[in-house]
Amino acid sequence: MPALLALDLGTSSAKAALLDLEGRTLAGGSAEYPTRRTEGGGTEQDPAHWGRAARESIAQIGPSAHEAAALCLTGQMQDLVLEGAAGAVRPAVLYTDQRAAAEAAQLREDLARDGMDWDHLAGNVQDASSCAAMARRLARHEPAALVSAHGLTFGPAGHLAHRLGAGLWCDATTAATTGLLEARTRSWSPAVARAAGLEAALLPRLTGALGEVVGRTGDSARDLLGLPAGIPLVLAPGDAGAAALGITGPAPGQDHASLGTSGWIASIRPAAPGTPPHGASHRLALGPGTELHISAVLAAGAAAAWARRAYLADLDATAADALLEAREREHGRGPTGLLVLPSLGGERFPVRDDTLRGAVLGLDAATGPRDLYAATLEGVAHALSHALDPADAGQVLPVVGGGAASAPWRRILADVTGRPVLHADSTDATLRGAALAGAEALGLDHRIAPLAAQGGELTAPDPSAAAAHAALRPAHRRLYATVAGAMR
């Protein structure tokens, strides 16, 4: 039976899995890569590290990876990668980079002078994380790098496809995060590209389907990934889109939550071209006739990891869960009495604020380290809950990501949202979605079902705890404005 090799190049690591057409995971691997942080809010990664981590994760699968029917690529979105003849010209600017705030404001003003509303054109509110603003900043501070670029890609998946010989490509979901795509036409905007200082020839080709065969691995594949030449390359949607496919499938409907390094509430919905931007949430192109609605908090798993370092002497997640279990046995389920904003370096949802920082409200003399850790997890759950419609309180909420492995956190999420939380302990959802997109692109007869259709461990909300958290939700939402005002 043919198998599909799925590769997800995420925020901090590469993950690979070999899946058969029944959706079973035959083997997997992973490898991490570092992030470089600079003064002024800069975050960058070396694309060469992406390739090395990808090779290492595939090597853990073994020789069976060489027989894959396709290599299905997905990964983090909204990165700016300047492609040269032999690799990236400079480190990739990541989606979390906040150095281009001034350039974003200038872009907005320049487009407005020409009678264009940048947010409405792109379908989403634009800020310093826009790739157009990042490019304009590089044009100002590193003009030689931009001049030497042969083209642009907007994430590790597109970069790797280029290095493997497919040319310059971008999936529609990733393109919709860049600020350079016209939401109505799903084509690159010449006006925004000009304002950003980019030649149209630098922009990659766009895919038009959920997954598209963009080429085959070339001779470089053996050195880059340890794979033979001739394997079809499928560019799947960027990681948020691939995760949605892997969790709920391509049809519009169910919400899902992710507790990765960042976190989000997302759902696939019918496309609505020309609809004004929806506040701090994103509407991203997906397949023909559909789009992904996503409300993303910048720090979810990252906030939990910070809290373990700050409050629990750097305990690992398993040991920290044991403390939460003990606390729950003593106090039961319900609010800690603390309100936490988990915004460690700016925020995307429920507000867009590059300068917002975290806060803890409600400390008293009895507050201890495990209370502060539990409250941080509550804070992430409350931040996500602001994206959910209270009218859907009975709808099951599938949850994925590294944080979903924590049973105490799943209980907190269920109590805060008032929804039954489904944890499907199976293949990584993003890898599964990439494989599903690959199978569809190749026209294979497959039975790769989304995780939500397979069942899993269901965590019901505690009625009393859910009522108490619901009463706190308005205060938590007001806290964003209060903290922003105090910081100003």
Side-chain angles (χ1 to χ4, degrees):
M1 180 182 293
L4 297 160
L5 178 58
L7 180 64
D8 171 23
L9 294 148
T11 303
S12 59
S13 67
K15 292 176 286 185
L18 194 67
L19 290 86
D20 68 17
L21 299 188
E22 298 292 333
R24 293 176 297 225
T25 303
L26 307 177
S30 65
E32 295 183 348
Y33 35 76
T35 298
R36 174 177 172 265
R37 290 176 169 79
T38 73
E39 291 185 5
T43 55
E44 299 181 343
Q45 288 176 348
D46 183 349
H49 292 160
W50 297 338
R52 284 197 287 271
R55 181 186 178 100
E56 184 178 336
S57 62
I58 291 170
Q60 293 169 32
I61 291 174
S64 55
H66 300 182
E67 307 298 324
L71 173 59
C72 310
L73 299 170
T74 185
Q76 58 178 305
M77 305 183 292
Q78 203 173 333
D79 302 335
L80 181 63
V81 190
L82 275 55
E83 302 288 357
V89 170
R90 69 176 308 285
V93 185
L94 300 192
Y95 67 95
T96 49
D97 195 288
Q98 296 295 320
R99 290 175 292 181
E103 287 75 15
Q106 291 160 1
L107 266 166
R108 186 180 304 283
E109 292 173 5
D110 290 350
L111 291 166
R113 276 197 295 270
D114 292 333
M116 287 174 281
D117 183 313
W118 189 17
D119 297 338
H120 195 277
L121 189 72
N124 295 292
V125 176
Q126 300 300 311
D127 57 22
S129 63
S130 162
C131 292
M134 295 175 187
R136 182 159 174 161
R137 179 184 170 277
L138 288 182
R140 173 178 294 176
H141 296 285
E142 299 180 40
L146 204 57
V147 168
S148 63
H150 294 187
L152 303 178
T153 55
F154 296 109
H159 169 75
L160 196 57
H162 174 61
R163 296 283 289 128
L164 289 168
L168 296 169
W169 283 91
C170 185
D171 67 276
T173 307
T174 298
T177 69
T178 65
L180 288 156
L181 191 79
E182 290 189 11
R184 184 179 56 82
T185 63
R186 294 195 177 185
S187 59
W188 297 121
S189 167
V192 178
R194 282 195 303 272
L198 295 173
E199 296 180 13
L202 293 174
L203 296 172
R205 295 172 64 185
L206 291 162
T207 63
L210 277 175
E212 190 165 324
V213 179
V214 296
R216 290 178 177 266
T217 55
D219 294 336
S220 61
R222 191 164 299 280
D223 288 336
L224 283 172
L225 300 181
L227 294 174
I231 298 176
L233 284 169
V234 175
L235 191 58
D239 56 3
L245 294 181
I247 299 164
T248 61
Q254 194 171 17
D255 294 315
H256 75 265
S258 175
L259 294 174
T261 303
S262 57
W264 63 68
I265 296 289
S267 63
I268 298 173
R269 303 183 190 179
T275 303
H278 182 64
S281 296
H282 291 78
R283 293 167 47 242
L284 307 179
L286 195 58
T290 60
E291 60 190 23
L292 179 68
H293 287 216
I294 180 167
S295 302
V297 298
L298 280 178
W306 170 83
R308 290 194 297 272
R309 290 194 304 272
Y311 303 140
L312 303 179
D314 212 13
L315 282 183
D316 63 28
T318 301
D321 275 356
L323 290 180
L324 294 180
E325 299 276 7
R327 184 184 183 281
E328 191 175 308
R329 286 193 296 271
E330 292 175 26
H331 300 286
R333 290 167 67 167
T336 58
L338 304 170
L339 289 179
V340 171
L341 292 192
S343 306
L344 300 180
E347 194 52 270
R348 285 190 177 183
F349 183 84
V351 298
R352 293 279 186 93
D353 188 341
D354 299 339
T355 66
L356 189 69
R357 293 299 182 265
V360 181
L361 181 67
L363 295 168
D364 63 26
T367 302
R370 64 181 186 176
D371 302 313
L372 289 161
Y373 181 60
T376 303
L377 305 190
E378 285 180 354
V380 173
H382 271 288
L384 295 173
S385 76
H386 300 309
L388 295 171
D389 187 342
D392 296 330
Q395 188 185 81
V396 171
L397 182 67
V399 60
V400 296
S406 167
W409 203 354
R410 294 198 302 273
R411 289 194 290 274
I412 289 170
L413 184 63
D415 292 342
V416 169
T417 63
R419 293 195 181 194
V421 167
L422 175 68
H423 180 227
D425 185 14
S426 182
T427 308
D428 179 278
T430 307
L431 291 170
R432 190 175 198 83
L436 192 155
E440 292 288 326
L442 293 168
L444 299 175
D445 181 18
H446 72 91
R447 284 158 295 283
I448 304 174
L451 297 180
Q454 300 179 42
E457 185 175 350
L458 195 65
T459 302
D462 177 272
S464 176
H469 280 295
L472 289 172
R473 190 172 298 123
H476 187 272
R477 181 63 184 85
R478 291 195 301 271
L479 193 56
Y480 287 88
T482 301
V483 172
M487 291 182 65
R488 283 195 295 273

